[in-house]
Amino acid sequence: MREGKLLMRSVVAIPASLAFFALAHSASAQPRNADDYLFLMRDRAKVSAESVIGGNMAVNAPGGFLNVSRRGTMADGTCVVADNVQVNSGSRAFDVFGCHVFVGVSGVVAGTMTQPIPPPIYAPEPLVVPDPFDPANLPPDFPIDCGNTDRSGLPRETVSLSPGSYGTVQVGRGGKLLLAPGTYNLCILRAIHDADVVVTAPATINVRDQFRLGTASNFIPVGVANTIQVNVMGSVARLGHNSMFHGRLFAPNGTLRIGGNSVVMGHLVARQMISDKNIRAFVCGNGQLDAGEQCDTSAPNGDAACPGMCVPPGSPNECTCPPPNTTTTMPVSTTTSTSTTSTIESSTTTSSSTTTPSTSPVSNPSTTTTTQGAATTTTQGAATTTTTTSAATTTTTLAGCFTRTPGFWATHPAITQVVLGSGLPSCGLVVNNTKAFTPVSSTEDMCSVGTDPGANHTSPQQVQLIRQCMSAALNLAATAQAPQPGDCSSAFPGITQMFDTCCTGPTSVCDSGASPAAIDASGCIGTLDRFNNLETTFDIGLNQGAAAPGACRDSKNNGFLNPGRNLGPAR
C-alpha cells in the first residue's frame, strides 16, 4: 500500500518529453483475456535487472504493484498492466496501462501510455477477465488430495511414473523424471540440481504443497506444451538459477520465485512474482507474433519470415525458422544419400499455468542442402537428404549436434583426447591434454572446483565459466569433426556467437579479468550450461568408452588452475 501511495504522489515526475513521446503513438487496447499474458500475478510482480520479457505482464488486484526494475526490459509489442506501475530509471517498457504510473528520469516508454485505465476497471470487473484468482475459476482438482507413496530418485537415475496419486516425488541430482500423459496428484514435486522433469502431453500435474525446480534443472514438454498444466495449491513455486521452464503454471496462493539466468516460456499465474536478475521469458503459439519469435504458425501471416517452414508450437525449436544452409563445393560428380537421426535425451524447460508454450533450445533432426551443377535435385525430409548432380555437388552439413555435460567429458578422457586433437581454443588458451596438474589440460578446466578458485584468488564464477566453455568447445568440435559434420545451431540457435562472445573471441568474457558480477551479468554460464546439458545424440564416429574419473578426482581441490589466463578477482 505504501508503494501505491508513492506512485500516486510521483506521477507528476514523468518528464514532459517522455509523456509527449508516449502520447504521440496511437493508443492500443489493453488485453483483457488471461491467456494474453505471459506473467499474470494477483498482488505484485517485478521485472528484474538485466531481464528481457517477451510477453505481456499484469497484476490483477486493486492496489496491485508492477515494477520494471532498472536495466529491466519489456520487449517491443508487449504491455505492462496494473493499478500501480513503476518504470524505473534505466528501464524500458513498451505499452503501459495503469491508474497510477511513475516513470523514472531515464525510464523509457517505447509504445503508448494509458493513464488512468479507462472503465470498466474494478467496477465490478478486474483488469483481466475471467479472473483466475476468483474461487469460482479455480481448477476442478482444488483442493488437491495427494497420496502416501513417495518416490525419490538417486543421482543420475531416470524415474518413470504413471498417472496417479503420490506423496513426495524427488528427482536426484543429474537425474530425470519421465511423466506419461494423464493426471498426477503429488504432495511435493522437487528436482534437486541439474535434473529434468520430462512430461509428455497432454498432462495435468496437481501439487498440493511445493513445486521446486532446482539449479540448472529443466521442465521439458514432449508434444504441445500448452496442454501441460501444473497446478500448485501451496505457497511455493520456485524455478532455480540457470533453469528452464516451458509450459503452464498456476499457483494462485503462492509466490513464484525465478532464479537468475533462467529461461521461462509459456503462461505463469501466481499470487506474486519475485525474480533474480537476467531472466529471459517469452511466449509461443498464442495467436500472435511476439517479440523474440522468428515466426509463429498460430498467428495470422505468422510464417512470413520463412513461409511454410516455421517450426510449429510444441515442436523442438518451436516458432523458429530453419537455420541457413551450409555448403562446400566439391569438384566431383557424385550422388549422395544421407540419413541421420538426432535423439533428445534432455533439453528444455516447461512451465505451466494458464496459457501458452514457448521455445527451448532442443535438437531438431532436419537437414538442409544446397547444390550446384547442370542438373540438381534436392529432397528434404525429417532427417534425410538426397542430392544428385551432374557436374558439381556439395557436402551436406546435417542439422544434428552432439552435446555432453562437463562431467561427461571430464570423466571420459579417451574420447576427450581424440576430440581435443592438437588443441582446442578456450578462454585464451589452446587446450590439448587431459592430465591432472598439467598446463592446458581440459580436465583441470572442468574439474577445478571446490577450493581451487580461492587458492588462485579468483571467483567461483570464473572457474565455472572456464568449465562450461571447455565443455562447449568439445561439443562443438565433436559435432564439426563427425564423418558427416553436424550443426549445433540447429539444436541451440545462436550458440556459435555466444561461444565466441563468452569463450574464444578477442575480448571474451572468460579471458577478460571480469568480476563475478560482470560474469553473472553476461549470462554466459547459464546459456552455456543449458547448451551443454542438452545431451543430444549425433553420430560423431567415436566410441564414448568407459568412464575413468581418476584424473578429475586428482584435479579437484588440488589448488591448480591452467596458467596464462586473465582471471577475474575473487570479488
Side-chain angles (χ1 to χ4, degrees):
M1 191 64 188
R2 179 177 175 271
E3 291 160 313
K5 291 180 179 178
L6 171 65
L7 293 181
M8 295 175 68
R9 291 197 302 269
S10 304
V11 68
V12 295
I14 301 174
S17 59
L18 179 57
F20 175 81
F21 178 72
L23 294 173
H25 292 72
S26 59
S28 55
Q30 178 237 318
R32 296 297 302 272
N33 191 309
D35 275 359
D36 291 333
Y37 291 88
L38 169 57
F39 293 112
L40 176 58
M41 303 296 123
R42 189 189 73 185
D43 298 335
R44 61 178 57 233
K46 177 181 179 180
V47 179
S48 54
E50 314 295 346
S51 295
V52 178
I53 308 300
N56 299 331
M57 292 185 68
V59 175
N60 214 32
F65 182 75
L66 199 159
N67 178 25
V68 184
S69 296
R70 187 179 182 189
R71 302 189 310 279
T73 299
M74 295 294 299
D76 287 352
T78 64
C79 68
V80 292
V81 184
D83 193 348
N84 300 291
V85 178
Q86 184 165 342
V87 181
N88 286 284
S89 295
S91 66
R92 182 185 187 277
F94 195 74
D95 289 339
V96 175
F97 298 86
C99 290
H100 313 104
V101 178
F102 171 84
V103 180
V105 175
S106 59
V108 174
V109 176
T112 64
M113 183 165 64
T114 303
Q115 179 193 205
I117 303 176
I121 175 173
Y122 308 129
E125 293 181 342
L127 286 167
V128 172
V129 290
D131 180 8
F133 303 101
D134 186 330
N137 296 327
L138 294 179
D141 295 310
F142 276 41
I144 295 170
D145 184 25
C146 53
N148 297 318
T149 302
D150 297 338
R151 185 61 195 270
S152 182
L154 298 173
R156 303 195 68 82
E157 180 184 9
T158 297
V159 176
S160 298
L161 292 183
S162 300
S165 185
Y166 301 87
T168 297
V169 175
Q170 179 168 295
V171 191
R173 186 184 183 99
K176 294 180 184 179
L177 173 64
L178 306 180
L179 300 180
T183 299
Y184 298 81
N185 281 14
L186 314 176
C187 296
I188 295 174
L189 176 57
R190 183 167 52 222
I192 296 293
H193 189 291
D194 192 25
D196 293 331
V197 178
V198 182
V199 185
T200 301
T204 299
I205 303 167
N206 297 312
V207 182
R208 188 189 67 184
D209 300 328
Q210 297 181 9
F211 174 79
R212 292 180 180 268
L213 195 65
T215 300
S217 296
N218 302 314
F219 188 93
I220 304 166
V222 177
V224 179
N226 202 33
T227 61
I228 298 174
Q229 179 73 41
V230 178
N231 297 315
V232 181
M233 194 173 72
S235 60
V236 177
R238 181 179 177 88
L239 312 178
H241 293 273
N242 300 315
S243 65
M244 186 181 293
F245 182 88
H246 184 185
R248 298 169 66 89
L249 176 68
F250 183 50
N253 306 312
T255 296
L256 172 63
R257 179 65 187 260
I258 304 176
N261 302 307
S262 294
V263 175
V264 177
M265 298 162 283
H267 176 65
L268 297 91
V269 178
R271 181 173 58 83
Q272 64 178 348
M273 170 187 168
I274 301 173
S275 64
D276 297 326
K277 65 181 180 180
N278 195 35
I279 70 169
R280 297 293 183 269
F282 49 98
V283 296
C284 177
N286 62 346
Q288 63 185 22
L289 187 61
D290 298 290
E293 296 176 354
Q294 294 178 333
C295 56
D296 188 340
T297 57
S298 71
N301 198 33
D303 65 345
C306 47
M309 301 180 69
C310 180
V311 180
S315 304
N317 293 326
E318 63 183 356
C319 294
T320 62
C321 293
N325 297 339
T326 303
T327 64
T328 305
T329 303
M330 297 175 58
V332 185
S333 176
T334 71
T335 299
T336 306
S337 179
T338 311
S339 175
T340 89
T341 303
S342 242
T343 304
I344 302 171
E345 295 181 315
S346 113
S347 47
T348 29
T349 316
T350 303
S351 121
S352 149
S353 175
T354 36
T355 65
T356 67
S358 170
T359 11
S360 53
V362 206
S363 175
N364 185 19
S366 63
T367 310
T368 58
T369 308
T370 302
T371 60
Q372 298 177 351
T376 303
T377 303
T378 302
T379 303
Q380 181 171 338
T384 305
T385 301
T386 303
T387 306
T388 305
T389 65
S390 59
T393 190
T394 66
T395 56
T396 301
T397 297
L398 301 173
C401 182
F402 182 87
T403 53
R404 292 295 182 268
T405 64
F408 170 86
W409 291 112
T411 58
H412 290 75
I415 185 175
T416 300
Q417 186 63 66
V418 173
V419 176
L420 285 173
S422 59
L424 293 178
S426 182
C427 298
L429 301 177
V430 177
V431 182
N432 63 18
N433 74 87
T434 61
K435 300 175 183 178
F437 294 98
T438 304
V440 291
S441 163
S442 65
T443 305
E444 285 291 350
D445 271 2
M446 292 183 288
C447 299
S448 291
V449 292
T451 61
D452 291 340
N456 289 270
H457 309 292
T458 190
S459 67
Q461 289 94 327
Q462 174 75 71
V463 172
Q464 183 59 231
L465 180 54
I466 291 172
R467 169 181 165 86
Q468 298 297 339
C469 282
M470 189 69 254
S471 180
L474 289 162
N475 287 326
L476 293 169
T479 301
Q481 295 168 10
Q484 291 288 335
D487 176 18
C488 283
S489 295
S490 65
F492 201 108
I495 184 57
T496 302
Q497 180 180 356
M498 179 59 73
F499 180 71
D500 181 70
T501 299
C502 298
C503 308
T504 58
T507 58
S508 70
V509 177
C510 193
D511 190 38
S512 65
S515 68
I519 294 174
D520 285 339
S522 72
C524 288
I525 294 175
T527 302
L528 294 174
D529 179 68
R530 287 189 288 273
F531 169 67
N532 293 329
N533 275 276
L534 289 179
E535 293 195 84
T536 48
T537 294
F538 177 71
D539 183 11
I540 60 173
L542 297 174
N543 188 339
Q544 297 183 25
C552 187
R553 283 197 301 262
D554 293 341
S555 296
K556 184 176 181 179
N557 297 327
N558 66 355
F560 181 91
L561 294 181
N562 280 323
R565 290 189 171 110
N566 183 17
L567 301 177
R571 296 180 181 177

